[in-house]
Each structure stands twice: as structure tokens, then as C-alpha cells.
């Protein structure tokens, strides 16, 4: 059976969803055209789950809002200036956008919006032919003016208009090309790739927030690597995430070391695999994925050649954390996510050396219980992410070394579990809080209370739980010695 014919039952089922039926009836009664468009149609053709309900209409945004109001449990502007109204209808989130075309002008960082009057015209101005397919409602007539179905069947991304014109009109489409390469497993046609190379600098007119959103959507796919490779190969990454292509360090016959760029892509893939295995069904953890991709960006700045052909990257974790913080702030990531990524990058080297045979006999010879407590304390609520990132960072082809590192980390996780069960490790606080310290020492709030708290925290990390009476005794001894000093 032809793939389009096979998709008809899926498109029919899509049109029969309660939310779709209600909306279609309402717009027909109001005398406006309505069609399912883009992602839902494309995904139905590909036999992929349809999770987004996107519509396009001849109605202007104010009319769309008026028509939706009686149907919606909630309604909000998803971008009224861009023609989009979102609503919750029959338990599903829908977005309805007026026929439009978006055009960037050289002096603007945001597209100018012009509303259109025909579905055919709207589709011809869309990003890729595979997203320029619509199904009219309620007739279920397929509208495909740019031959997008052929693109779906060939698993090829092409633009409805010449690629140079399309990417010049909306440079964000170049990032979307990378995202769809990974999300759909499609390849960008040569004309599109050439246009990306020629117009890469046009991405600078796009706001950092929109660039950020596309990069995060790319990283949220099951395999971001093809899209990232497209960004690097076309020169776009050098403008939006320059730390990534900078990882492609030049190697030579004398100084042999891993290809840091390839290593980073592998770490990202392995982190995603571990994320799926350890937390099946959960939403993609973009903080973990950003940290995995950028964990070694400090290496180019810290690379040093040593005698005998060795190469070192001392303190690349600290340098990389600072670099990541700067880049992610420029991309307008929320401060909390910036802090989380930077913390993971700064900690990602901490484990290596645990269980190193050169450190003594047995795994425990190198890391004391105190060191394990500090590892947990420094990771804070990032511990699970750090577990995944550290395991994913092992990309050696030496199977013996890989097995040894895996066993060592198994041992570390086991010890963390044992200590957590014994000592409430997740709390990681002194047994006396600030109020108790002031009561024991007769102090008022101030610097000395903070110093006493830090003393007790160090004691907790070094020796574990002591009990409140012993903690108080040690506190008094410390205070007496401090006063005498």
C-alpha cells in the first residue's frame, strides 16, 4: 500500500479527536477556513505519535479567540502578534495560527509578521516542504503545494522556495534544519546545506532567546548528534555555540590524544542512553545534556604538551565551568540552569582516580568515607545527574580500563547508598542548627555563628553522625580553644 494511502486512517483518526472535531465545527460555522498543518500531518504520514495539534486558519487572531472562547477550558496568547492563539480544548492543548508570512529585515532581530488570505500561500512560505502539508477540516482534503509528501517519503528536508531565499527570510530555519535532522532522522538536501554555509552570519539577527530554544529542542531529541554535526559542518555552530567546533583540536603524530569533539558527542549519546535506562519515560533532561556536550570545553584553553609526547588539560573542569556559564548566560538560559550546568562541568572530573590501583590496595584505600560525603555534599541535588555524566564520560576503547572504571563507580554508588542509609546523607547538615549553636554558646546572630556552623559541618563530613550530645561537646571544645587562642 502506498504510504499516503496507509496514512489516511491515521489522518482520519486525528480529525476525529474530540478537540479537533469541536474546533472544526466552530470555525466552519463562523465561516472561516481551518486546517491541521505541519507537525501533526507530517507525523501522521510517518506513523509517529501526534502530540501537538497545530492548526492554520483564515481567521485573524481576535476572531480565533472569539471562536475558541466557548470551547476552551483555558485560553492564552501564544504569540498574538505572530497570529497564534493557544487553548485547552477537550483536554488537549491546541495552537491556531492565522495564515501568515514572517520576514526578517536587516535592522531587526525579530521577524515582521504579515497575515495572508490563502492556505496555499501560507504553506509555500513555511520552513520545509515536509512541514508544508495541510489537511483541510472537516473535508480531510490534503493540500500539498510544495510536494512535501515526496520529501517525507524520501526522508529529505527541502525548502518550498529556494533555500537561500527561505533562510534569508527567516534565519532561524537554519537551526530548525539541524533540529529536524535529529528529530526526524531526515537529511538536509545539498542546496539547503550550501545555503546554510552561505548565510550562517544571518543567524546574528535572531534573538538569543529564539536561538536558545532551538538548541534546547535539538538537545531534547533522542539523537542530537546529526543536527549538531550539521551546525558544525556548515559553520553555524561557530556563531551560536563556538565552544563546540573549538573542541576539534588539531592532533599530530607526536602528541596523541582523543579527538575532544568526537569524544564530547559520544559522551552526549551515552548520557542520553543512561538517562533513558535509569529514568524511562521521563522528559528529556536538557541540563544533563548541555553539561554532557560542554563538559570538556575548557580543554582547548588548558592543553599543554609535556615531555615524552604526553598532553595535559589541567583544570579544564574549572575553566570549562566558567566558559559554560558565560556562553549560557549569553543564550539567556535561566540562571538556575546555568548554575546547574556549570556545577556539573566543574565536578565531572572528581571521580576519576577513585579505585586507582596505584593509590593502594582496594577501592577504599583512596577515598575515605569523608571523601564520599564531600562528593555527595558538593553535588547537592545534582548527584544523579553527576552519576550519569561521570559514567558517560568513559569512552575509552580499552575494554579492561572501561570495566575497571565501571566497577569503581558501581562501588562508589554502593558506598553512597550505604552511607545515606546509615547517616541521612541526603540531609548533609550539622546536628546542631544555628538556633542550637546560639543557645549552646550564648551567642547572638552574627559571623561567629556562621563560623561555628561551618566547623560542625566539617565535623559531620569528616566523621559522620556523632549525636547531638557529642556534637555539642565538640562545639564547646572548639569554642574554648578559639577563645583561648
Amino acid at each position: 500500500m502506498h504510504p499516503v494511502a496507509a496514512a489516511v486512517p491515521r489522518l482520519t483518526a486525528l480529525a476525529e479527536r474530540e478537540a479537533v472535531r469541536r474546533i472544526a465545527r466552530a470555525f466552519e460555522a463562523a465561516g472561516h477556513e481551518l486546517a491541521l498543518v505541519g507537525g501533526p500531518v507530517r507525523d501522521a504520514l510517518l506513523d509517529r505519535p501526534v502530540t501537538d495539534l497545530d492548526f492554520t486558519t483564515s481567521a485573524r487572531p481576535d476572531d480565533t479567540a472569539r471562536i475558541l472562547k466557548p470551547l476552551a477550558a483555558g485560553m492564552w496568547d501564544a504569540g498574538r502578534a505572530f497570529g497564534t492563539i493557544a487553548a485547552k480544548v477537550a483536554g488537549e492543548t491546541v495552537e491556531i495560527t492565522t495564515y501568515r508570512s514572517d520576514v526578517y529585515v536587516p535592522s531587526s532581530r525579530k521577524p515582521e509578521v504579515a497575515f495572508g488570505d490563502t492556505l496555499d500561500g501560507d504553506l509555500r512560505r513555511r520552513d520545509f516542504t515536509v512541514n508544508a502539508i495541510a489537511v483541510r477540516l472537516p473535508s480531510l482534503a490534503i493540500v500539498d503545494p510544495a510536494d512535501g509528501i515526496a520529501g517525507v517519503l524520501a526522508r529529505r528536508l527541502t525548502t518550498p522556495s529556494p533555500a537561500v531565499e527561505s533562510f534569508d527570510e527567516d534565519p532561524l530555519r537554519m537551526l530548525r534544519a539541524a533540529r529536524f535532522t535529529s528529530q526526524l532522522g531526515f537529511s538536509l538536501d545539498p542546496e539547503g546545506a550550501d545555503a546554510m554555509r552561505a548565510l550562517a552570519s544571518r543567524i546574528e539577527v535572531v534573538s538569543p532567546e529564539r536561538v536558545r530554544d532551538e538548541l534546547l529542542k535539538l538537545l531534547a531529541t533522542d539523537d542530537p548528534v546529526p543536527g549538531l554535526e550539521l551546525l558544525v559542518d556548515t559553520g553555524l555552530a561557530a556563531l551560536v555555540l563556538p565552544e563546540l567546533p573549538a573542541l576539534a583540536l588539531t592532533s599530530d603524530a607526536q602528541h596523541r590524544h582523543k579527538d575532544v569533539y568526537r569524544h564530547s558527542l559520544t559522551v552526549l549519546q551515552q548520557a542520553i542512553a543512561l538517562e533513558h535506562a535509569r529514568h524511562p519515560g521521563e522528559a528529556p533532561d536538557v541540563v544533563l545534556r548541555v553539561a554532557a556536550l560542554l563538559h570538556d570545553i575548557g580543554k582547548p584553553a588548558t592543553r599543554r604538551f609535556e615531555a615524552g609526547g604526553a598532553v595535559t588539560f589541567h583544570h579544564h573542569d574549572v575553566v570549562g565551568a566558567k566558559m559554560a556559564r558565560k556562553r549560557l548566560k549569553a543564550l539567556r538560559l535561566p540562571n538556575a540552569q546555568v548554575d546547574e550546568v556549570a556545577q556539573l562541568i566543574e565536578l565531572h572530573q572528581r571521580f576519576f582516580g577513585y579505585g586507582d590501583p596505584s593509590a593502594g590496595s582496594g577501592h577504599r584505600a583512596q577515598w575515605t568515607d569523608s571523601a564520599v560525603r564531600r562528593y555527595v555534599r558538593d553535588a547537592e541535588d545534582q548527584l544523579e545527574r553527576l552519576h550519569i555524566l561521570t559514567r558517560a564520560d568513559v569512552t575509552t576503547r580499552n575494554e579492561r580500563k572501561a570495566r575497571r572504571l565501571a566497577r569503581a563507580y558501581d562501588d562508589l554508588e554502593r558506598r553512597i547508598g550505604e552511607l545515606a542509609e546509615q547517616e541521612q546523607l541526603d540531609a548533609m547538615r550539622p546536628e546542631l542548627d544555628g538556633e542550637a549553636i546560639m543557645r549552646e554558646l550564648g551567642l547572638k546572630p552574627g559571623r561567629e555563628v556562621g563560623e561555628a556552623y561551618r566547623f560542625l559541618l566539617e565535623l559531620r563530613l569528616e566523621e559522620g553522625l556523632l549525636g547531638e550530645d557529642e556534637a555539642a561537646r565538640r562545639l564547646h571544645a572548639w569554642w574554648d580553644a578559639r577563645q583561648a587562642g
Side-chain angles (χ1 to χ4, degrees), residues 101-378:
S101 62
D102 300 345
V103 180
Y104 277 89
V105 295
S107 60
S108 174
R109 294 179 68 85
K110 293 183 179 180
E112 293 183 355
V113 176
F115 294 135
D117 296 312
T118 67
L119 175 59
D120 189 86
D122 176 87
L123 294 176
R124 290 184 183 277
R125 299 303 296 268
R126 288 183 174 256
D127 54 4
F128 300 103
T129 61
V130 299
N131 295 329
I133 312 167
V135 174
R136 289 188 182 275
L137 298 171
S139 68
L140 292 185
I142 295 176
V143 183
D144 182 19
D147 207 13
I149 291 174
V152 171
L153 298 180
R155 307 187 74 82
R156 178 66 60 90
L157 289 176
T158 58
T159 53
S161 57
V164 169
E165 293 180 12
S166 179
F167 294 162
D168 191 49
E169 287 174 357
D170 185 351
L172 191 70
R173 290 171 177 168
M174 295 186 287
L175 290 182
R176 289 169 62 83
R179 194 233 303 178
F180 288 129
T181 297
S182 284
Q183 181 180 321
L184 303 175
F186 285 13
S187 60
L188 180 64
D189 72 331
E191 180 190 345
D194 289 343
M196 285 179 68
R197 293 184 184 94
L199 296 172
S201 63
R202 281 283 283 150
I203 199 66
E204 294 175 352
V205 308
V206 182
S207 69
E209 291 84 358
R210 300 189 78 204
V211 171
R212 171 203 64 204
D213 290 347
E214 277 302 323
L215 288 175
L216 294 183
K217 288 177 182 178
L218 168 57
L219 287 175
T221 64
D222 285 342
D223 185 12
V225 168
L228 293 169
E229 289 177 327
L230 179 62
L231 293 180
V232 171
D233 292 345
T234 57
L236 209 62
L239 297 169
V240 299
L241 198 63
E243 294 79 7
L244 182 59
L247 291 173
L249 299 173
T250 303
S251 58
D252 56 53
Q254 180 183 4
H255 302 102
R256 295 188 302 274
H257 54 81
K258 287 180 182 176
D259 180 330
V260 185
Y261 169 63
R262 282 288 150 202
H263 164 75
S264 297
L265 296 182
T266 301
V267 170
L268 174 60
Q269 289 175 314
Q270 294 185 166
I272 292 172
L274 285 168
E275 179 190 335
H276 288 329
R278 294 174 74 129
H279 305 286
E282 294 188 12
D285 187 345
V286 293
V287 167
L288 170 66
R289 297 179 184 201
V290 172
L293 181 64
L294 303 183
H295 75 286
D296 274 348
I297 59 172
K299 281 190 170 181
T302 59
R303 182 171 64 160
R304 299 291 182 271
F305 296 123
E306 306 291 344
V311 62
T312 62
F313 304 96
H314 293 311
H315 307 302
H316 76 272
D317 44 359
V318 176
V319 172
K322 291 179 180 178
M323 292 173 62
R325 188 178 294 278
K326 182 177 180 180
R327 174 57 51 197
L328 299 180
K329 282 184 176 293
L331 287 170
R332 306 288 198 272
L333 257 72
N335 288 336
Q337 291 187 341
V338 173
D339 291 341
E340 289 169 340
V341 171
Q343 182 184 25
L344 286 169
I345 292 174
E346 188 165 349
L347 292 175
H348 84 273
Q349 284 289 104
R350 183 75 62 87
F351 159 75
F352 292 98
Y354 179 87
D356 188 337
S358 65
S361 59
H363 294 149
R364 293 177 187 259
Q366 189 171 11
W367 276 30
T368 62
D369 285 350
S370 171
V372 175
R373 293 188 196 100
R374 291 176 187 278
Y375 187 76
V376 174
R377 189 274 309 271
D378 291 346

Side-chain angles (χ1 to χ4, degrees), residues 60-76:
R60 295 304 191 254
D62 289 345
D63 292 328
T64 295
R66 177 180 52 78
I67 295 168
L68 280 177
K69 188 173 181 180
L71 307 177
M75 189 167 60
W76 59 96

Side-chain angles (χ1 to χ4, degrees), residues 57 59-61 64 79-85 96-100 113 115:
T57 180
R60 295 304 191 254
T64 295
R80 185 182 289 257
F82 295 90
T84 302
I85 302 294
I96 303 179
T97 302
T98 301
Y99 298 156
R100 72 186 190 189
V113 176
F115 294 135

Side-chain angles (χ1 to χ4, degrees), residues 351-412:
F351 159 75
F352 292 98
Y354 179 87
D356 188 337
S358 65
S361 59
H363 294 149
R364 293 177 187 259
Q366 189 171 11
W367 276 30
T368 62
D369 285 350
S370 171
V372 175
R373 293 188 196 100
R374 291 176 187 278
Y375 187 76
V376 174
R377 189 274 309 271
D378 291 346
E380 300 175 307
D381 58 358
Q382 298 261 81
L383 183 61
E384 174 59 13
R385 283 173 172 157
L386 185 58
H387 288 333
I388 293 175
L389 176 58
T390 303
R391 287 182 180 275
D393 198 19
V394 178
T395 62
T396 177
R397 296 181 181 178
N398 184 324
E399 293 185 6
R400 182 177 179 182
K401 181 179 180 181
R403 286 195 300 269
R404 176 177 64 77
L405 289 169
R407 286 195 301 269
Y409 209 88
D410 288 344
D411 185 66
L412 176 58

